[in-house]
Amino acid sequence: MNRGFSLLELVIAIAVLGIIVTIALPRIGNNDKLLLTYAAQQLTADLRLLQEENYNMAFGSNDFTELKSPLRPQMVFFNNKNCGYYVVRGTKVIRSFSFPSGVQLQGFYSSIVFDKNSYTKPQHINLVNKNQEISVIIDSAGRVRIQ
């Protein structure tokens, strides 16, 4: 009785293992792009929330007394070891978000404020992670999108 593997069996096993690695490796390496996309989607959602809160303050229902504050909500960025932003009204933090590890703001951004019609100056907010970049764009009509 022969108790070893034949050369053919070893070649087939290595080929199957190579196919599995070829399929799995791009998914592991694409994690940086997923983190960048997640950060951009969260930033976009919070910018839209900020727009909606400003619009509701100006034209919303009288039923919500918390909307009667004279202070407009704004987004304030922090760019230290952990990069991210706060959504604040006066000194009250409504929401805070820290970007995932490795995701940074490219350039300097202090704050974003929308007027009562949901307009602000056009801006490009660039997020980078290693060699990849994604932009969150606020155009002159107040539309927020990811590019």
Side-chain angles (χ1 to χ4, degrees):
M1 280 183 52
N2 195 356
R3 293 192 143 223
F5 295 107
S6 71
L7 182 60
L8 182 61
E9 290 171 332
L10 286 174
V11 168
I12 291 173
I14 290 173
V16 169
L17 189 61
I19 291 170
I20 292 171
V21 167
T22 306
I23 292 170
L25 201 55
R27 291 188 181 156
I28 294 169
N30 204 10
N31 194 28
D32 296 334
K33 183 69 173 174
L34 291 175
L35 290 175
L36 196 59
T37 302
Y38 167 70
Q41 288 173 342
Q42 190 62 52
L43 178 60
T44 301
D46 286 338
L47 283 167
R48 290 176 179 155
L49 172 71
L50 191 65
Q51 276 184 315
E52 186 176 332
E53 287 221 1
N54 276 300
Y55 186 82
N56 284 339
M57 283 181 67
F59 304 109
S61 170
N62 292 330
D63 297 336
F64 300 103
T65 56
E66 64 272 8
L67 295 177
K68 295 299 178 191
S69 168
L71 300 172
R72 295 212 172 274
Q74 62 179 328
M75 182 175 283
V76 179
F77 293 94
F78 55 90
N79 200 1
N80 53 15
K81 184 179 177 185
N82 294 329
C83 203
Y85 57 86
Y86 298 108
V87 177
V88 298
R89 181 183 292 125
T91 58
K92 181 181 176 189
V93 175
I94 300 170
R95 171 148 171 61
S96 68
F97 181 77
S98 293
F99 294 127
S101 176
V103 176
Q104 297 289 318
L105 284 168
Q106 185 179 35
F108 177 76
Y109 306 94
S110 58
S111 66
I112 296 175
V113 181
F114 290 94
D115 68 8
K116 67 179 185 177
N117 295 316
S118 297
Y119 295 120
T120 189
K121 64 182 183 205
Q123 298 182 48
H124 286 230
I125 303 167
N126 299 317
L127 300 173
V128 293
N129 189 2
K130 296 184 180 167
N131 62 350
Q132 299 178 356
E133 181 179 331
I134 196 166
S135 295
V136 176
I137 299 171
I138 307 169
D139 65 16
S140 58
R143 291 183 295 261
V144 181
R145 62 187 167 92
I146 299 172
Q147 184 175 24

